[in-house]
Amino acid sequence: MFQENSLVLLIDKKGRKYLIRLKEGGKFSSHLGIVEHDQMIGKDEGITVYSDMGAQYLALTPTLKDFVTKMPRGAQVIYPKDIGSIIIWADIFQGARVIEAGTGSGALTLYLLRAIGPSGLLISYEKREDFLKKASKNIYDFASQPSNLVLKCKDIYSGIDEDNIDRIVLDLPEPWKIIPHAINSLKNGGIIISLIPTMLQVMTFVDSLRNSKKFYPIEIFETMLRHWNVKGQSVRPEHFMVSHTAFLVSARKIAVDASLFDSSLEHWKTEYIP
Ligand code: SAH
């Protein structure tokens, strides 16, 4: 049920979306008129509300995807499709101890917090204080003050303070600079994953992982998302799509010499022998 301070997603008949926070006596205004917040307080989501000019809006609780795509951003955006792949390939689980860098606007941070749950711990490094401020505002806006988060204003290239870490999740320009620190702070079997915009950066990162002889298997991939139009007889892909966001590289830290394993076989199927 919507209450004072609830976040609400309003969608007008043309599909335009607005994210608002409810206040008693508050008003939302657009070119379609003014909507009184009191129409929503105490009501269930999925209802429609009206502006004083008679425009109709659908009122829903925003999903985290709605929130991160509407929240104020300082740093480069990370796309939900890539966040989905990160959560799965990094195998983020409830209770995990995770390092993230950089925090940026906090979009990935919010998803990681959700995936590790209250029993997990996320330590997020960001070198720019102004970004960290914006990110913490976004995070606290959606998740109030999460007890499973530590925000750190630090250049992660200079070192990782924590050890016994399950997962390291990176979205910054030179992830190879972290490899020596990651070797010390990751548990054996732990996973490092990096979102990387260009192929030359991917090559440098993968070569550095291999040269360290501490990571195997390594997976390198990208995720493409294509929306479809389904309307009567017109069933076809949308005309436009985001064709490139970033590549993902994931790797597991191991205890033995990784060069003993054939790197060309890293993507082979797993056989399950019960
Ligand atoms: N994933 C973030 C976006 C990250 S953008 C999100 O979902 O919003 C990359 C961020 O990394 C920037 O904010 C940048 O300031 C930060 N960064 C770059 N190099 C860094 C370093 N060495 N240590 C910590 N943060 C760094």
Side-chain angles (χ1 to χ4, degrees):
M1 203 179 269
F2 292 131
Q3 293 163 353
E4 166 100 10
N5 277 325
S6 297
L7 278 171
V8 178
L9 183 74
L10 291 177
I11 310 176
D12 73 16
K13 284 194 165 170
K14 291 230 158 113
R16 275 180 295 241
K17 294 178 179 173
Y18 305 88
L19 196 58
I20 62 166
R21 191 177 287 282
L22 295 184
K23 292 268 168 292
E24 256 175 59
K27 294 176 198 317
F28 159 74
S29 59
S30 77
H31 63 292
L32 297 176
I34 294 168
V35 178
E36 308 272 350
H37 290 193
D38 292 352
Q39 287 185 61
M40 289 166 267
I41 293 174
K43 302 273 166 52
D44 269 336
E45 61 175 309
I47 55 166
T48 49
V49 292
Y50 294 87
S51 78
D52 58 349
M53 287 161 60
Q56 208 174 350
Y57 293 88
L58 185 61
L60 288 169
T61 300
T63 63
L64 185 46
K65 177 165 137 311
D66 293 322
F67 183 77
V68 301
T69 45
K70 290 265 172 237
M71 73 187 195
R73 301 192 201 102
Q76 185 79 31
V77 254
I78 182 163
Y79 284 76
K81 73 175 177 76
D82 291 321
I83 296 178
S85 300
I86 288 170
I87 300 288
I88 303 301
W89 262 262
D91 190 43
I92 305 295
F93 58 91
Q94 273 200 40
R97 279 167 63 82
V98 180
I99 301 275
E100 178 198 20
T103 319
S105 309
L108 181 55
T109 313
L110 276 165
Y111 279 97
L112 290 170
L113 288 173
R114 203 182 236 191
I116 62 174
S119 59
L121 179 66
L122 176 65
I123 303 122
S124 187
Y125 286 68
E126 169 58 55
K127 68 173 182 186
R128 284 187 50 176
E129 213 176 327
D130 54 336
F131 282 179
L132 207 55
K133 255 194 202 137
K134 267 190 202 149
S136 56
K137 188 175 177 313
N138 285 335
I139 295 160
Y140 300 159
D141 233 20
F142 192 82
S144 45
Q145 292 259 356
S147 59
N148 52 358
L149 173 67
V150 176
L151 291 172
K152 247 187 191 179
C153 192
K154 183 175 168 180
D155 178 345
I156 197 169
Y157 298 156
S158 69
I160 298 175
D161 305 325
E162 300 77 16
D163 55 13
N164 216 18
I165 291 300
D166 296 301
R167 309 292 186 242
I168 297 181
V169 179
L170 303 173
D171 179 5
L172 34 62
E174 296 173 300
W176 49 89
K177 291 192 172 165
I178 290 163
I179 293 173
H181 312 310
I183 292 169
N184 290 326
S185 73
L186 268 181
K187 289 179 185 168
N188 285 324
I191 298 175
I192 185 167
I193 192 160
S194 190
L195 181 97
I196 307 181
T198 75
M199 214 3 107
L200 285 181
Q201 291 165 296
V202 169
M203 281 172 63
T204 311
F205 186 56
V206 172
D207 285 348
S208 310
L209 286 170
R210 292 217 176 105
N211 290 339
S212 78
K213 301 186 178 168
K214 278 290 175 199
F215 293 91
Y216 190 88
I218 302 174
E219 282 189 64
I220 305 127
F221 65 100
E222 63 187 308
T223 309
M224 290 179 206
L225 175 74
R226 189 162 73 161
H227 277 96
W228 280 65
N229 178 82
V230 178
K231 223 175 205 178
Q233 296 295 304
S234 171
V235 178
R236 54 158 176 82
E238 294 284 357
H239 295 305
F240 299 101
M241 69 185 274
V242 177
S243 69
H244 175 68
T245 56
F247 305 102
L248 286 167
V249 177
S250 74
R252 298 197 80 173
K253 191 208 144 188
I254 58 174
V256 295
D257 181 351
S259 65
L260 297 169
F261 299 90
D262 185 345
S263 62
S264 61
L265 301 183
E266 282 167 1
H267 302 280
W268 275 33
K269 273 193 189 151
T270 308
E271 267 186 61
Y272 176 51
I273 301 154

